[in-house]
Amino acid sequence: MCPSEASGGILTINLDAIARNYRTLGERVAPGECAGVVKADAYGLGAGRVAPALAAAGCRRFFVADLNEGLSLRKLLPDAEIAVLYGPGQGEVELFAHAALCPVLNEPGQVERWRRAGEKAVLPPAWLHIDTGMNRLGLSASETAHLASRSDRLEGLTLAGVMSHLACAEHPDHALNGEQKARFREAHALLSGIMGPLATSFANSSGIFLEPDYHGDLARPGAALYGVNPTPKSPNPMEQVVQLQGRIVQLREIDRSGTVGYGATRRVTRGERIATVAVGYADGYLRSLSDRAAGYIGRARIPLVGRVSMDLLTFDVSALPPAAAAPGTLVTLIGAEHPVDDLAAEADTIGYEVLTALGARYARRYVGDPA
Ligand SMILES: *Cc1c(COP(=O)(O)O)cnc(C)c1O
């Protein structure tokens, strides 16, 4: 880690807040259980610190996207259940088995690969993924029916349960929610009829805020753990986790009216004061925020003016007393005053993208480590 005085930005990640968010979600899904989704390096926040903090908060089951993420997480959490959303590719079964990773089986080839391997060795249980409306990963309705039509296609397969993924859970009134629930129930009933009672996993972060019959036995939240609002039309029930501060490296009082930044998109007039901050799109501060976002110094909102550069941002600080914005002053880019969802809205994107884009150049600080 670089010394924070030497970096243009400081990223502070509150592990206690993640633990509290985990407990909040856990209470909502009880008597069901809550897993932790830590794919994409825990949504950019650092799985190496986040996953152990979740484990210390009581999380026993984790989801990652690919095999490499699973292998890294296994080194950190020797006893946790770790499920890999992509499932085993050709030639990967042994790696899964050796690291005790539970695959998510997404298509008939993976199901058959895992079933065959299970004839020769004791394997970790698999999640069977039913596609109920995403048309992305998972068995289609006809593939599910085909699988269920002959018992030898399932024989010897040990399942952790069946899962599916909601496409529109953040819109409680969307018709697809109910359709997906009905299709999932049907697939679950069909497979349970053959294999005996199977556990279910259905809700992502937003699904946890739908009716309880969307929760399933194991919910799979990611974004809400990290402070993204799972109920975008209502106040955020989650605690903010991330604070991002950028450092002012130069302060300019405009002595000749002109423009600021690339493309000369923004006029400035004599007497205005511009603070230049050492953060840019190379740090994941999206270029689409140009001329739209704001930063905060204390409670004072300072508008971003001009384009986002690779390494620099320019803010209009004319409204502040000169002493409030000087070289070295930290500008809050994400924080209590300006939550991740607000910055995402200014960039026409979602908090997920803002978090996973957070760059490697920031000095990272973890606070409140329960692990
Ligand atoms: C990413 C992912 C999740 C977590 O979704 P959030 O909206 O971040 O809670 C859950 N399930 C699957 C299959 C996913 O790909």
Side-chain angles (χ1 to χ4, degrees):
M1 190 194 288
C2 20
S4 55
E5 329 63 81
S7 66
I10 302 171
L11 179 64
T12 308
I13 293 155
N14 186 339
L15 297 170
D16 274 344
I18 294 176
R20 283 191 289 271
N21 285 338
Y22 176 76
R23 290 195 198 97
T24 300
L25 297 169
E27 280 161 21
R28 272 198 79 88
V29 301
E33 192 184 327
C34 200
V37 179
V38 293
K39 63 191 179 188
D41 201 24
Y43 291 44
L45 304 190
R49 298 299 294 274
V50 169
L54 282 168
C59 182
R60 297 182 298 123
R61 305 166 94 175
F62 294 83
F63 284 82
V64 294
D66 69 15
L67 176 58
N68 282 328
E69 291 180 339
L71 295 172
S72 307
L73 190 59
R74 175 53 76 215
K75 290 188 196 131
L76 287 170
L77 301 175
D79 301 321
E81 183 181 301
I82 300 172
V84 179
L85 291 166
Y86 291 171
Q90 208 87 37
E92 290 180 355
V93 167
E94 270 169 32
L95 290 167
F96 271 77
H98 189 248
L101 301 174
C102 301
V104 173
L105 305 174
N106 294 300
E107 43 92 18
Q110 285 184 335
V111 177
E112 183 56 14
R113 195 172 297 143
W114 198 254
R115 192 194 65 77
R116 283 240 185 105
E119 289 173 347
K120 295 182 217 115
V122 180
L123 297 178
W127 285 96
L128 188 64
H129 187 178
I130 311 295
D131 192 321
T132 54
M134 285 285 266
N135 285 312
R136 200 177 63 165
L137 288 179
L139 298 179
S140 67
S142 58
E143 285 166 342
T144 308
H146 185 254
L147 188 67
S149 66
R150 262 183 34 201
S151 59
D152 58 337
R153 294 191 181 116
L154 290 164
E155 216 161 87
L157 202 59
T158 308
L159 292 186
V162 289
M163 62 168 267
S164 192
H165 191 45
L166 290 158
C168 308
E170 69 278 25
H171 304 297
D173 299 330
H174 201 291
L176 189 52
N177 293 328
E179 288 169 31
Q180 288 196 268
K181 185 173 66 181
R183 291 172 192 154
F184 187 48
R185 276 199 181 148
E186 195 178 321
H188 176 253
L190 177 65
L191 293 161
S192 290
I194 298 162
M195 304 184 76
L198 291 168
T200 56
S201 178
F202 197 31
N204 64 340
S205 295
S206 294
I208 290 172
F209 292 83
L210 298 174
E211 294 84 60
D213 59 354
Y214 282 89
H215 293 168
D217 298 310
L218 182 69
R220 304 184 310 273
L225 293 171
Y226 313 122
V228 172
N229 187 355
T231 59
K233 293 234 167 65
S234 312
N236 192 350
M238 312 317 299
E239 200 176 315
Q240 284 300 294
V241 166
V242 169
Q243 186 188 41
L244 177 62
Q245 298 164 296
R247 192 182 305 281
I248 297 179
V249 289
Q250 190 169 326
L251 208 287
R252 165 178 317 280
E253 180 160 340
I254 303 295
D255 58 5
R256 183 179 54 212
S257 296
T259 59
V260 58
Y262 285 118
T265 56
R266 178 64 174 233
R267 289 210 64 78
V268 282
T269 51
R270 196 180 152 87
E272 282 185 336
R273 278 179 297 116
I274 300 296
T276 302
V277 167
V279 166
Y281 60 75
D283 302 298
Y285 192 96
L286 304 172
R287 191 168 174 276
S288 54
L289 290 161
S290 296
D291 268 317
R292 299 173 68 174
Y296 283 77
I297 294 179
R299 295 240 177 85
R301 181 180 189 278
I302 52 171
L304 178 75
V305 291
R307 293 245 172 99
V308 172
S309 304
M310 185 184 292
D311 316 302
L312 296 170
L313 304 172
T314 39
F315 290 91
D316 182 351
V317 294
S318 310
L320 265 58
T329 302
L330 293 174
V331 175
T332 301
L333 305 173
I334 301 174
E337 311 81 357
H338 198 222
V340 61
D341 293 299
D342 290 14
L343 190 72
E346 288 162 353
D348 261 335
T349 184
I350 52 176
Y352 297 64
E353 191 180 26
V354 170
L355 292 184
T356 54
L358 289 168
R361 237 177 350 185
Y362 300 126
R364 284 190 178 222
R365 285 184 188 152
Y366 289 89
V367 298
D369 194 346

